[in-house]
Amino acid sequence: SSLTLAVLSSKVTGIGMDDLNSGVDFASASGLEKAEAAELQRMLAVEQQKAQFQAQETKVHNFTDVCWDKCVDRPGSKLDSRTETCLVNCVERFIDTTLAITSRFSQ
């Protein structure tokens, strides 16, 4: 997706891929109009949101794997009460830990 964004940026701005890789400031590039710069910023924001979503998705998969391995002895058609309680507690601990870490880093 970063490569796609770079290619789109290159097409929108007329800046080559070598320029993109060298950290050119898009806003000061010659011939770049305000509308093009705004669209580029919007595209960059969308790509950043996608990256954040993918990071969150990875976290969910990781804690799902951890909680599954910890709580599910043998898969069946239904969860017994012990397994269900274990899964709920595991997920709640994950959420609490994530919130505590996030809170700590925001201070």
Side-chain angles (χ1 to χ4, degrees), residues 48-93:
Q48 288 172 337
Q49 287 176 341
K50 286 180 186 178
Q52 288 174 343
F53 177 77
Q54 288 173 341
Q56 291 297 326
E57 188 175 41
T58 299
K59 287 179 189 177
V60 169
H61 285 296
N62 288 343
F63 87 78
T64 300
D65 289 342
V66 167
C67 292
W68 180 269
D69 291 343
K70 177 178 174 47
C71 298
V72 179
D73 296 327
R74 55 181 187 269
S77 60
K78 292 173 67 174
L79 294 177
D80 60 28
S81 63
R82 184 193 69 77
T83 303
E84 185 175 348
T85 301
C86 181
L87 287 169
V88 168
N89 289 336
C90 183
V91 171
E92 287 177 353
R93 278 194 312 273

Side-chain angles (χ1 to χ4, degrees), residues 9-72:
S9 299
S10 175
K11 289 181 180 180
V12 169
T13 64
I15 298 172
M17 290 299 289
D18 291 336
D19 294 329
L20 287 173
N21 292 331
S22 67
V24 167
D25 180 12
F26 296 124
S28 65
S30 63
L32 184 62
E33 296 179 13
K34 289 182 181 181
E36 291 172 329
E39 177 63 14
L40 182 57
Q41 288 298 322
R42 187 195 65 76
M43 289 170 37
L44 288 171
V46 167
E47 288 301 315
Q48 288 172 337
Q49 287 176 341
K50 286 180 186 178
Q52 288 174 343
F53 177 77
Q54 288 173 341
Q56 291 297 326
E57 188 175 41
T58 299
K59 287 179 189 177
V60 169
H61 285 296
N62 288 343
F63 87 78
T64 300
D65 289 342
V66 167
C67 292
W68 180 269
D69 291 343
K70 177 178 174 47
C71 298
V72 179

